[in-house]
Amino acid sequence: MARINLNSLGELKEQVVHINRVAKVVKGGKRFGFTALVTVGDGNGHVGIGKGKAREVSEAIRKANEDAKKSLKKYSVVDGKIPYMVMGKYGASEVVLRPAATGTGVIAGNVVRSVLEVCGVTDILTKSLGSNNPHNLLKATIDGLAQLRQPADILEERNRGKAGAAPASEAKPQTAGETKPENPAAEPPAAV
């Protein structure tokens, strides 16, 4: 898949998901560093996640932002909603994403919420199952979003498989009371 042109997206939203302090044991004691987990998106279906490591928090966040911008991808989100329910999995984490009515808002935990908000989802119900490791939850959410396709695309793909089928727009609608004969070649039954 081709890399997304960042100039065409406009302003990107960045959200820090998790910061972790890590330690390296050396001869003189412990050397501390930080890892940062960040989501980046345009609020219109594009989202990416990134991880950065450094000795200082600000440097780790900067590196994570750069990594997230490299991993930006487009997902099926229309009018702030997802078309149908999916379950994303990564490692021991599972995330259930359910469409919700307008005005519901984003019902999700902090990690899942950060991905959905920068992606542009405004109405959704979610449930995270299994491990609550932030890295795995992020990737499980991305996996769930990657499974989504628009209903029009699915219908087009199904119709493409039928070689002789006419497009749905050209099909003649059937009126009420009119029935189709089961075998058009067969003669109607004779009156007795």
Side-chain angles (χ1 to χ4, degrees):
M1 190 165 143
R3 185 178 268 184
I4 293 173
N5 183 3
L6 296 176
N7 297 330
S8 65
L9 295 181
E11 187 178 341
L12 294 175
K13 299 180 202 171
E14 302 167 351
Q15 220 169 14
V16 177
V17 178
H18 184 71
I19 294 178
N20 189 30
R21 190 179 82 165
V22 293
K24 179 181 179 182
V25 179
V26 293
K27 187 176 175 183
K30 294 179 182 175
R31 198 173 275 169
F32 293 105
F34 296 90
T35 63
L37 206 53
V38 172
T39 58
V40 171
D42 68 343
N44 198 19
H46 292 90
V47 69
I49 59 174
K51 179 182 171 187
K53 292 184 188 180
R55 298 287 301 277
E56 297 176 10
V57 175
S58 59
E59 186 68 12
I61 292 172
R62 184 191 63 77
K63 287 181 179 180
N65 278 335
E66 288 178 7
D67 190 36
K69 287 175 184 174
K70 290 177 188 173
S71 70
L72 274 172
K73 288 187 181 153
K74 174 78 173 143
Y75 299 100
S76 292
V77 175
V78 176
D79 298 330
K81 294 184 179 185
I82 61 172
Y84 50 88
M85 186 184 113
V86 290
M87 182 178 229
K89 296 180 183 180
Y90 187 87
S93 294
E94 295 178 350
V95 175
V96 179
L97 305 173
R98 290 190 182 110
T102 304
T104 303
V106 178
I107 310 296
N110 290 340
V111 176
V112 177
R113 175 186 298 272
S114 67
V115 176
L116 297 173
E117 284 180 347
V118 297
C119 191
V121 178
T122 55
D123 299 303
I124 192 166
L125 300 168
T126 68
K127 178 68 182 165
S128 63
L129 307 167
S131 171
N132 62 354
N133 178 338
H135 297 269
N136 288 355
L137 279 178
L138 273 183
K139 291 175 183 173
T141 307
I142 293 291
D143 178 56
L145 290 173
Q147 294 172 27
L148 294 173
R149 295 187 303 167
Q150 289 303 315
D153 297 340
I154 296 170
L155 186 65
E156 183 181 310
E157 189 176 303
R158 287 179 184 169
N159 287 340
R160 204 177 325 130
K162 300 174 185 174
S169 60
E170 294 176 14
K172 181 183 169 192
Q174 202 171 356
T175 59
E178 182 182 315
T179 58
K180 278 184 158 178
E182 289 183 24
N183 187 357
E187 294 181 17
V192 178

